[in-house]
Amino acid sequence: MDILEFNAPVSKSKIFADMIQHSTDAIIYTTPDFTINFVNRSAEEMFGWTLPEIKGKPITILHDQELTSQQKKEMFSNLYSGKAHEIEGSRKRKDGSTFYCQIKISPLFTEKSRIYGYMGIIRDITEEKQNEDSLVKELDLLTGLIGTARVIVTVLDRQGKIVYCNPHTEKITGYKLKEIKGDDWFSRFIPVREKERIRSVFKKAICGHPTKGNVNPIDTKEGKEIIVEWYDTALKNDEGEVTGLLSIGNDITQRVEAEEKLKTIYENMPGGILMIGQDYIIKDVNYRTCEITGYKREELVGQLCDIVCPKGSSSKQCPIWEDGQEEFRGMDTSIKCKNGIKKPILKNAQEITIKGDTYILELFQDISQRKNAEENAIEAKKAAEQANQTKSEFLANMSHELRTPLNSVIGFSDILSKEVRGKLNDSQKKYVSNITKSGSHLLSLINDILDLSKIEAGQKQLEYSSFDLHEALDEISILIKPLISKKNIDLQMDLPPEDSRVYADRKKFKQIMYNLLSNASKFTPDKGTITIVANQEKDKLKVAVQDTGMGIPEADQATIFEPFQQVKSAKSSEYKGTGLGLSLARELVEMHGGQVGLKSEVGMGSTFTFTIPDKPNTN
């Protein structure tokens, strides 16, 4: 008997209508042109539209976005051939919000096989989609992490057979997974000397006692050994039974090699090393420490640091810790040796942290030999300074004895040259002229030597006064004019505004300028240029003397200011001089508390500079 007939008088249409209305899926009926004609209650709840509101609207009112031409072609191809068209996508509610759904569109045919409409069944799968997306992401993430991680990942079964290894393991070992899958891990990778120990570690891990930080070597396909630090975790099934072991390892070969190198360096450092804890206990020392102090390692490690402290047990504290000095460099101190002798050392200290614990690392050098050498050098320096002082005092005190007879020679030669006592023939005039020139040159040389000697002997004093810069330089230009006129040298000045005052020893300032200008004129060729540039800079006067001369080689620039030093070149031999002018200029500048400088290039001329502070030098 037909069930519908059994439930009569209920009509079939009533039954179908109830089935549609009580369906948990949304059902939408449209005309052939996709105009909505009917929606069930689930559709009303799902989309937010009531049947009266949405009836007569195009189905596109529920679309989140327009179908592409390809999507339309595929859909109509299925529908016109009598097939249902199934798709997944997002749809739009009345309030504008969207959700993800599964849609099945079926064509409805008349008895004559003509389409009179379409029925769509829609199921909301937003939550399923979200869960699926999340799972896919997690799976992708895990696969990506294991596949691209720069760590060694292996899975072994309960017997230690290889089940899986990631690409990084393949790269490190040189084996592909297909080559070693099913092989015994210990036979394939563990060196003979380590097999027993590593099997023991494996058995404990399989029994539920995972290990962290186990380190062992493994053999590569090329026959090399790499050192790996392992972290093991037992794998369990749903019943909690251990099915295998997941091992994640880091290749620490380079770290171990670096530690070995560091240990070698540590033990062979030329200086001593002490590592001291916050409890003042010596934690470690190197071989050199034992060699310097005379103690054995076991006699120092574990002892209070005052065993080598020059203050001994009376200190009762470590000044480095107590004073909070995190680090210091170059402490000149001493260390107490086993025989009681205190050796001089140069010590550096640095606060370091190892595995969360703080220590003071002291590094020191035995400077006994250097100290002895320094003391010898100091004594030699004192002797040299005393000898130099004696020499300077002697020359300074001899100024009268040296100058008086020389002035007489020059004076009498001047009288003879003026023919006061009678006429001179040409030969006699030439001889007298030579005596005057030689005497003047010798007097200039003696004056420079005596000036330097007086400065070194501390007998030269500065007489400060305030004077006009322009007036002083005009006076110098008059004095230097005879030297530059002979060679048609152009003397130029670039000076600050009028009434620029200088506070210095006027006489010494003029002497500095004269020496620099005479030096410049000596090495400047005919029709060359000498320029004086002066500037007032904050708390000092800066003067530069520039020339267009032959320049000074770089090798000579370091010694050009030393006494009796001159530029060594073929051309320089043409120029006469004592080599004292620049040295005297530097001494006079430094007496004022200033500095001299030089910039020069061969063939491009030279620039000599000096500074004069505007405050008296009190030293």
Side-chain angles (χ1 to χ4, degrees):
M1 179 185 293
D2 192 295
I3 188 169
L4 293 181
E5 292 179 358
F6 179 80
N7 288 325
V10 179
S11 66
K12 292 182 180 179
S13 60
K14 168 64 173 163
I15 293 173
F16 286 129
D18 288 344
M19 289 174 63
I20 291 172
Q21 287 295 357
H22 289 89
S23 172
T24 56
D25 294 330
I27 297 176
I28 299 176
Y29 164 66
T30 72
T31 60
D33 61 355
F34 292 99
T35 298
I36 298 172
N37 186 268
F38 171 80
V39 296
N40 70 346
R41 291 173 190 156
S42 293
E44 289 178 325
E45 293 173 358
M46 187 178 293
F47 290 95
W49 295 89
T50 61
L51 177 60
E53 290 176 321
I54 203 170
K55 188 173 182 179
K57 304 282 185 182
I59 193 68
T60 54
I61 196 174
L62 304 178
H63 286 189
D64 181 31
Q65 55 187 4
E66 184 74 20
L67 295 178
T68 65
S69 58
Q70 181 62 33
Q71 289 173 328
K72 289 179 181 179
K73 182 179 179 181
E74 184 180 348
M75 180 180 71
F76 285 117
S77 175
N78 288 330
L79 295 177
Y80 289 161
S81 63
K83 298 178 182 177
H85 182 66
E86 296 184 9
I87 56 173
E88 287 186 3
S90 61
R91 289 296 180 263
K92 184 170 62 176
R93 300 187 181 93
K94 181 181 178 180
D95 60 10
S97 61
T98 60
F99 63 98
Y100 203 83
C101 57
Q102 192 178 62
I103 304 168
K104 182 177 181 180
I105 304 172
S106 300
L108 302 176
F109 292 95
T110 63
E111 293 177 353
K112 295 182 179 181
S113 300
R114 293 181 61 188
I115 295 176
Y116 68 86
Y118 300 99
M119 182 174 68
I121 300 175
I122 302 98
R123 177 172 297 171
D124 185 350
I125 59 171
T126 303
E127 186 176 351
E128 295 175 21
K129 182 64 177 176
Q130 289 173 345
N131 291 337
E132 181 183 324
D133 289 344
S134 177
L135 181 58
V136 168
K137 287 179 180 178
E138 288 179 9
L139 289 172
D140 288 344
L141 178 61
L142 289 173
T143 304
L145 285 174
I146 294 174
T148 62
R150 295 181 61 83
V151 292
I152 299 169
V153 180
T154 62
V155 177
L156 308 180
D157 64 13
R158 290 183 59 86
Q159 285 72 45
K161 304 291 184 183
I162 300 169
V163 176
Y164 170 81
C165 70
N166 69 335
H168 190 67
T169 305
E170 294 179 328
K171 181 180 177 181
I172 289 290
T173 63
Y175 290 104
K176 293 294 183 182
L177 176 58
K178 60 183 179 182
E179 294 180 72
I180 58 175
K181 191 172 184 178
D183 287 357
D184 179 73
W185 170 264
F186 310 99
S187 300
R188 172 68 73 178
F189 289 107
I190 305 301
V192 175
R193 67 181 187 278
E194 290 280 356
K195 281 184 181 178
E196 186 176 345
R197 182 178 71 85
I198 301 306
R199 280 190 184 276
S200 176
V201 172
F202 172 77
K203 289 177 181 178
K204 290 180 180 179
I206 284 294
C207 292
H209 303 287
T211 59
K212 294 182 180 181
N214 177 54
V215 176
N216 66 265
I218 62 173
D219 293 324
T220 67
K221 191 174 185 179
E222 294 180 350
K224 297 180 180 179
E225 279 191 7
I226 61 173
I227 310 300
V228 182
E229 184 176 27
W230 296 99
Y231 295 83
D232 302 325
T233 302
L235 298 174
K236 299 179 181 179
N237 58 20
D238 293 340
E239 286 73 34
E241 297 175 346
V242 175
T243 57
L245 188 71
L246 171 65
S247 296
I248 299 176
N250 289 311
D251 180 0
I252 61 170
T253 306
Q254 290 185 344
R255 190 185 84 189
V256 171
E257 290 176 351
E259 288 174 353
E260 288 295 327
K261 290 178 182 177
L262 185 60
K263 184 178 179 181
T264 302
I265 293 170
Y266 178 81
E267 286 299 335
N268 292 278
M269 285 281 285
I273 299 176
L274 283 164
M275 191 165 73
I276 302 170
Q278 288 180 301
D279 53 3
Y280 309 159
I281 298 296
I282 297 173
K283 305 300 181 182
D284 197 13
V285 299
N286 70 338
Y287 172 75
R288 182 64 178 141
T289 299
C290 299
E291 195 174 55
I292 292 172
T293 63
Y295 286 102
K296 295 179 180 179
R297 184 190 294 267
E298 55 269 24
E299 291 177 309
L300 291 174
V301 175
Q303 298 295 318
L304 284 169
C305 59
D306 65 5
I307 190 174
V308 291
C309 179
K311 295 182 179 179
S313 301
S314 61
S315 62
K316 301 297 183 184
Q317 62 181 13
C318 177
I320 300 172
W321 285 113
E322 296 298 327
D323 296 343
Q325 293 176 274
E326 292 185 357
E327 63 177 283
F328 58 82
R329 296 284 184 268
M331 176 184 279
D332 199 336
T333 182
S334 61
I335 191 167
K336 188 173 64 177
C337 301
K338 187 175 181 179
N339 59 10
I341 295 175
K342 295 179 181 179
K343 286 186 179 179
I345 60 170
L346 187 67
K347 181 166 69 175
N348 298 325
Q350 173 72 52
E351 187 177 292
I352 62 172
T353 301
I354 301 176
K355 294 182 179 180
D357 294 325
T358 304
Y359 304 90
I360 286 290
L361 187 68
E362 294 187 8
L363 299 92
F364 59 91
Q365 293 282 347
D366 181 358
I367 57 173
S368 301
Q369 291 184 349
R370 196 188 81 183
K371 281 290 184 181
N372 292 335
E374 285 177 356
E375 290 175 2
N376 293 335
I378 290 171
E379 291 301 321
K381 183 174 181 291
K382 286 180 180 179
E385 288 175 348
Q386 183 61 44
N388 188 58
Q389 182 74 7
T390 302
K391 176 267 297 180
S392 297
E393 290 175 356
F394 169 75
L395 289 174
N397 292 330
M398 288 293 292
S399 61
H400 178 73
E401 286 76 5
L402 289 171
R403 284 173 171 166
T404 299
L406 192 54
N407 283 326
S408 297
V409 171
I410 296 171
F412 285 121
S413 63
D414 283 340
I415 292 172
L416 289 174
S417 65
K418 293 176 182 178
E419 298 180 323
V420 175
R421 297 295 182 180
K423 295 290 183 178
L424 300 176
N425 59 37
D426 291 341
S427 295
Q428 289 170 334
K429 288 179 181 179
K430 182 178 179 182
Y431 297 151
V432 171
S433 176
N434 288 340
I435 292 171
T436 302
K437 290 179 181 178
S438 297
S440 297
H441 177 71
L442 185 57
L443 181 60
S444 175
L445 172 60
I446 290 172
N447 284 335
D448 285 347
I449 292 174
L450 291 174
D451 282 342
L452 279 175
S453 298
K454 284 184 176 182
I455 292 172
E456 292 175 356
Q459 297 179 7
K460 202 79 169 176
Q461 301 296 325
L462 297 178
E463 297 178 2
Y464 278 91
S465 65
S466 178
F467 58 89
D468 185 89
L469 175 64
H470 288 260
E471 289 181 2
L473 292 178
D474 286 341
E475 293 172 8
I476 293 298
S477 64
I478 293 172
L479 293 174
I480 205 70
K481 190 172 183 180
L483 296 177
I484 62 177
S485 297
K486 293 178 182 178
K487 302 169 73 173
N488 293 318
I489 295 173
D490 182 22
L491 178 63
Q492 300 180 358
M493 294 191 189
D494 182 2
L495 307 179
E498 295 289 339
D499 196 28
S500 296
R501 314 257 342 144
V502 181
Y503 192 65
D505 186 317
R506 182 187 178 103
K507 183 179 178 181
K508 304 296 187 299
F509 176 80
K510 290 171 64 177
Q511 191 173 358
I512 295 167
M513 290 300 304
Y514 183 84
N515 285 356
L516 292 179
L517 287 169
S518 62
N519 180 75
S521 64
K522 189 185 302 182
F523 294 99
T524 300
D526 292 352
K527 297 182 181 181
T529 302
I530 297 176
T531 305
I532 300 173
V533 181
N535 294 298
Q536 293 282 1
E537 297 183 355
K538 293 184 179 179
D539 57 351
K540 63 186 176 183
L541 170 71
K542 184 176 181 180
V543 182
V545 176
Q546 303 170 350
D547 65 57
T548 57
M550 66 181 192
I552 302 171
E554 187 175 351
D556 292 331
Q557 293 180 24
T559 59
I560 196 68
F561 288 101
E562 297 300 323
F564 306 106
Q565 295 295 321
Q566 289 184 303
V567 177
K568 298 176 179 61
S569 69
K571 288 186 178 182
S572 65
S573 61
E574 304 172 10
Y575 309 110
K576 296 179 181 179
T578 63
L580 291 173
L582 294 179
S583 178
L584 184 57
R586 182 185 67 177
E587 293 292 345
L588 293 174
V589 168
E590 291 180 351
M591 281 182 69
H592 283 84
Q595 293 180 325
V596 295
L598 167 64
K599 288 184 180 180
S600 183
E601 186 177 343
V602 175
M604 301 299 291
S606 304
T607 299
F608 288 86
T609 61
F610 69 91
T611 58
I612 298 289
D614 62 5
K615 292 183 180 180
N617 183 20
T618 57
N619 295 324

